[in-house]
Amino acid sequence: MDVRQYLSRIGYHGDTSPTLDTLRAVHQAHMLTVPFENLSIHCGEEIVLDLQLLYNKIVVKRRGGFCYENNGLFSWLLGQLGFNVKTLSAQVNNPEGFTPEKAHLINLVCIDGESWVTDVGFGCLFRTPVCLVADQEHPDVTGTYRFQQEGDTWFLQRKSKTQLDADNYEAAPGGIQRDDMVESGEWVVLYKFTLQEHKLQDFSERCSWTQRLSPFFTGRPFCVLHLADGLVTYIGTKVITTRYYETHLIKTTIVLNSDKDILALLWGTFGIKLENHLTVKE
């Protein structure tokens, strides 16, 4: 495992001293180059939480992964660069309530007495680390974030978005759909966590369950990558491109008509060449 090769994989060639500027730059570089994806699950590939295996997949084979993979390997990189980093367990908020412990893996980095949450394994999320301070808003191109605290538990929140105007939603020839969105001002909890430290291997049991039984990860293949001015999301037989503007965002959806189109998208947009057959459910 080579730090220089990892940095080259994410296109980072700047200063590597363990400073806040470096942390921000490396975190953003990771978000812009390493996809959040579950393709291994739909290619019959077992995901094992071994750092060497994760390195081979993400750095050597230029793939992505879900939270255990992306954040697990990113933690190793930060440690190699000299950062004081620890791994935390988070519980994701969904319509049924919060997921069990260890359903999500995040990292906490301490610099000059301040703690910063890093997360390169959640899909659409902040591009630069967020300082762990209650009720302090963190503006980001992907939205506005803040933490709230109740006892030993921290809650990550983001302002929700609503459709700008129903008349702006249109179906166009070629299977293209457009949707304009703006922030509604309502805060929504994304996940909660405590500061109890964990090791990567502590997540193995939940990782095994996730790739076999989680409806979200086993339902449809997906791949998410941040762009300089937006986000591109492949899911099932669709690709959704989000473009961020100062006051709103625009989502455009295109339907993919064949397996050939899907593989071409994965290679051309995400730089992913699969080794095994991708089973697509829609």
Side-chain angles (χ1 to χ4, degrees), residues 92-112:
V92 179
N93 189 24
N94 58 42
E96 291 75 38
F98 285 100
T99 56
E101 282 282 355
K102 301 184 181 70
H104 185 50
L105 184 159
I106 62 176
N107 292 306
L108 189 72
V109 178
C110 296
I111 302 175
D112 297 331

Side-chain angles (χ1 to χ4, degrees), residues 91-240:
Q91 297 173 257
V92 179
N93 189 24
N94 58 42
E96 291 75 38
F98 285 100
T99 56
E101 282 282 355
K102 301 184 181 70
H104 185 50
L105 184 159
I106 62 176
N107 292 306
L108 189 72
V109 178
C110 296
I111 302 175
D112 297 331
E114 292 184 321
S115 296
W116 297 84
V117 174
T118 73
D119 190 345
V120 296
F122 197 76
C124 182
L125 201 66
F126 48 80
R127 295 190 178 186
T128 57
V130 180
C131 189
L132 190 61
V133 177
D135 300 315
Q136 179 175 293
E137 293 192 8
H138 175 88
D140 184 89
V141 67
T142 61
T144 304
Y145 301 84
R146 74 178 183 186
F147 290 112
Q148 288 199 317
Q149 184 181 16
E150 295 181 9
D152 295 332
T153 302
W154 290 86
F155 296 82
L156 174 66
Q157 299 179 324
R158 178 171 61 197
K159 283 187 179 179
S160 63
K161 294 180 174 62
T162 58
Q163 192 168 321
L164 183 63
D165 187 338
D167 293 335
N168 284 340
Y169 188 82
E170 58 188 40
I176 299 175
Q177 296 178 329
R178 171 176 160 174
D179 196 5
D180 294 10
M181 311 285 287
V182 294
E183 283 190 347
S184 68
E186 178 183 353
W187 290 99
V188 176
V189 175
L190 300 182
Y191 53 71
K192 67 177 182 178
F193 59 94
T194 68
L195 302 186
Q196 180 182 349
E197 186 172 6
H198 294 273
K199 296 179 180 179
L200 179 62
Q201 288 70 31
D202 294 342
F203 295 84
S204 293
E205 182 177 347
R206 195 66 194 177
C207 176
S208 179
W209 182 90
T210 297
Q211 60 190 298
R212 289 172 173 79
L213 297 173
S214 167
F216 178 75
F217 286 97
T218 63
R220 290 182 291 177
F222 62 74
C223 191
V224 183
L225 185 65
H226 287 250
L227 307 172
D229 62 346
L231 188 81
V232 59
T233 302
Y234 156 69
I235 181 166
T237 59
K238 297 178 181 178
V239 57
I240 304 166

